[in-house]
Amino acid sequence: MKPDLFQAPDYYLLDDLLTEEHKLVRDSARAWVKKEVSPIIEEYAQKAEFPKQIVKGLAEIGGFGPYIPVEYGGAGLDQISYGLIMQEIERGDSGVRSTSSVQSSLVMYPIWKYGNEEQRMKYLPKLATGEFIGCFGLTEPDYGSNPGGMVTNFKDMGDHYLLNGAKMWISNAPFADIAVVWAKDESGRIHGLIVERGMEGFTTPETHNKWSLRASATGELIFDNVKVPKENLLPNKSGLGAPLGCLDSARYGIAWGAIGAAMDCYDTALRYSQERIQFDKPIGATQLQQKKLAEMITEITKAQLLTWRLGVLRNEGRATTAQISMAKRNNVDMALTIARDARQMLGGMGITGEYSIMRHMMNLESVVTYEGTHDIHLLITGMDVTGFPAFK
């Protein structure tokens, strides 16, 4: 196993914009990734298995709900700290970051924001420590970019709700203890329900044969006349805006996380270019390779500035959904381009598991699609600047 020699690029001295707490949080996450994720992640990606032994460590570095208030088991950190943790985790692997951001933004966030006090106290502390792992059920077999068309539904049976339907492409589903599920009531209104493993009729078959996010567990959620207690309904927000609010938080984390993947690919390519000799000199001394590296560091720096400013706006409660969409779309596209260019720089070695680049590239093919596709985010920006929705 090669040592993790990663050095994070900071071309515009953006560390000067961070507080000492931000840097401490980031550096702790970075050290943990180097010690616990980098040595094992290639093996687990090859096996297509999630390394469950890292869950406790993820919790300890603030990977689960870092911005959740302390009274509910969170760390009470700000949005920039959350972003930096996602950046460092995704530098290790997008699939591991998926587990972390699903738990944080798609499970803990809605329980915190839309749940009642009993629900917060029952679930959030155990989710924060990783004792419970959660998943988020929105996407359906026939409804991805159009989640409002969902057919999963529940009926009021007097002393409980009866839930029927199916969700797919659900990160953490195969081993999740709880699922925050979005379904329509009898009037067609969308609500969130907390479904617990063990409820009769609730199954979570795993999705196999993935070429992407191989170290992340993906599955389906099947609901066959599942009796859900009425106290498991999230009472404080309904309608499509409720799950979309969770996605804002998740997409924000992805915008930071993609930078981590890009930085790892850049750092690997830079080091390789300084060591690989062809035609009696390092390939980094050639114009074409310098062009690639110069463009990589430029795009990484632009993305760092974009997410830092977005984090400030999030802390101030001023960031819009459209601003978050712009950052998610830009940064994932940037990371994917850098991964592809870095792979070329390594030649044949770039496709092997000896280096992280090909794994990042395959992972990013999922990240560019989930939590809103590349094209859907383009249309969100287009609607924001013109005032005209063009989704159909």
Side-chain angles (χ1 to χ4, degrees):
M1 174 56 62
K2 295 179 67 173
D4 185 343
L5 302 175
F6 173 73
Q7 291 184 312
D10 185 12
Y11 202 73
Y12 263 41
L13 307 182
L14 291 174
D15 269 18
D16 292 351
L17 298 173
L18 304 178
T19 66
E20 290 305 312
E21 182 179 61
H22 291 151
K23 287 182 276 192
L24 178 63
V25 166
R26 180 200 61 198
D27 293 348
S28 296
R30 183 172 296 166
W32 178 80
V33 167
K34 284 193 172 194
K35 181 182 178 184
E36 303 294 341
V37 177
S38 298
I40 66 167
I41 197 61
E42 299 296 346
E43 175 192 353
Y44 277 85
Q46 291 284 0
K47 294 192 299 184
E49 182 182 333
F50 175 73
K52 293 181 181 179
Q53 70 271 24
I54 69 172
V55 166
K56 186 172 184 288
L58 271 174
E60 289 171 352
I61 64 165
F64 299 146
Y67 51 78
I68 298 293
V70 174
E71 59 263 36
Y72 302 122
L77 298 173
D78 73 351
Q79 290 292 303
I80 291 176
S81 292
Y82 168 54
L84 288 165
I85 293 170
M86 295 301 104
Q87 171 187 284
E88 295 305 314
I89 295 174
E90 189 144 1
R91 204 279 297 177
D93 187 76
S94 301
V96 177
R97 196 270 309 142
S98 295
T99 292
S100 179
S101 60
V102 165
Q103 182 94 332
S104 298
S105 291
L106 302 183
V107 180
M108 298 177 74
Y109 180 89
I111 293 173
W112 173 43
K113 286 291 188 180
Y114 311 150
N116 56 36
E117 195 64 17
E118 290 74 22
Q119 291 166 340
R120 295 180 192 123
M121 294 306 299
K122 179 178 179 180
Y123 296 108
L124 291 178
K126 291 183 178 180
L127 289 163
T129 62
E131 181 181 345
F132 280 0
I133 294 293
C135 64
F136 175 86
L138 180 63
T139 298
E140 296 188 0
D142 294 321
Y143 296 96
S145 294
N146 177 26
M150 70 174 65
V151 296
T152 298
N153 65 91
F154 65 97
K155 296 179 180 178
D156 190 333
M157 305 303 289
D159 61 344
H160 65 273
Y161 298 120
L162 198 64
L163 177 66
N164 281 282
K167 306 290 183 176
M168 73 181 304
W169 303 121
I170 309 301
S171 295
N172 301 352
F175 55 79
D177 300 287
I178 67 169
V180 173
V181 178
W182 302 93
K184 289 179 177 176
D185 65 14
E186 290 161 278
S187 71
R189 184 75 174 173
I190 295 171
H191 295 265
L193 298 159
I194 301 171
V195 181
E196 299 181 17
R197 184 169 296 282
M199 289 182 175
E200 189 175 352
F202 175 41
T203 54
T204 58
E206 185 165 1
T207 302
H208 296 289
N209 297 323
K210 298 182 300 176
W211 288 113
S212 182
L213 297 181
R214 289 174 60 82
S216 174
T218 308
E220 301 174 59
L221 304 177
I222 309 296
F223 313 105
D224 181 10
N225 289 322
V226 179
K227 293 181 180 179
V228 181
K230 287 197 165 180
E231 60 265 27
N232 284 30
L233 181 84
L234 297 176
N236 293 331
K237 191 172 179 66
S238 62
L240 188 58
L244 294 184
C246 306
L247 291 173
D248 274 353
S249 181
R251 290 163 176 170
Y252 167 76
I254 290 170
W256 281 91
I259 296 174
M263 291 196 304
D264 196 59
C265 292
Y266 165 78
D267 183 64
T268 301
L270 175 62
R271 187 174 295 107
Y272 189 85
S273 77
Q274 294 164 335
E275 299 169 353
R276 173 67 166 167
I277 306 298
Q278 289 290 284
F279 303 106
D280 303 320
K281 64 180 180 181
I283 64 171
T286 64
Q287 290 184 2
L288 281 175
Q289 305 311 317
Q290 288 191 10
K291 176 181 185 292
K292 290 184 176 73
L293 291 165
E295 289 175 341
M296 287 181 197
I297 190 59
T298 300
E299 293 305 314
I300 287 170
T301 300
K302 287 156 64 176
Q304 288 173 320
L305 287 163
L306 191 65
T307 45
W308 175 80
R309 178 58 183 161
L310 186 60
V312 171
L313 292 173
R314 288 277 289 175
N315 282 339
E316 295 173 351
R318 295 198 292 147
T320 67
T321 293
Q323 287 169 338
I324 294 167
S325 280
M326 177 184 284
K328 191 271 185 182
R329 179 180 181 273
N330 178 82
N331 291 9
V332 179
D333 183 65
M334 172 275 301
L336 199 44
T337 299
I338 286 176
R340 288 167 177 159
D341 286 346
R343 207 292 305 157
Q344 288 191 44
M345 288 183 65
L346 267 66
M349 292 305 296
I351 71 166
T352 71
E354 187 174 348
Y355 296 93
S356 61
I357 293 171
M358 194 70 178
R359 176 172 48 82
H360 282 306
M361 190 195 309
M362 292 191 299
N363 285 341
L364 288 164
E365 289 291 352
S366 288
V367 181
V368 79
T369 294
Y370 72 21
E371 311 279 359
T373 69
H374 184 75
D375 290 343
I376 286 292
H377 285 299
L378 186 77
L379 294 179
I380 290 172
T381 303
M383 181 177 67
D384 195 48
V385 298
T386 66
F388 302 124
F391 297 98
K392 57 184 178 179

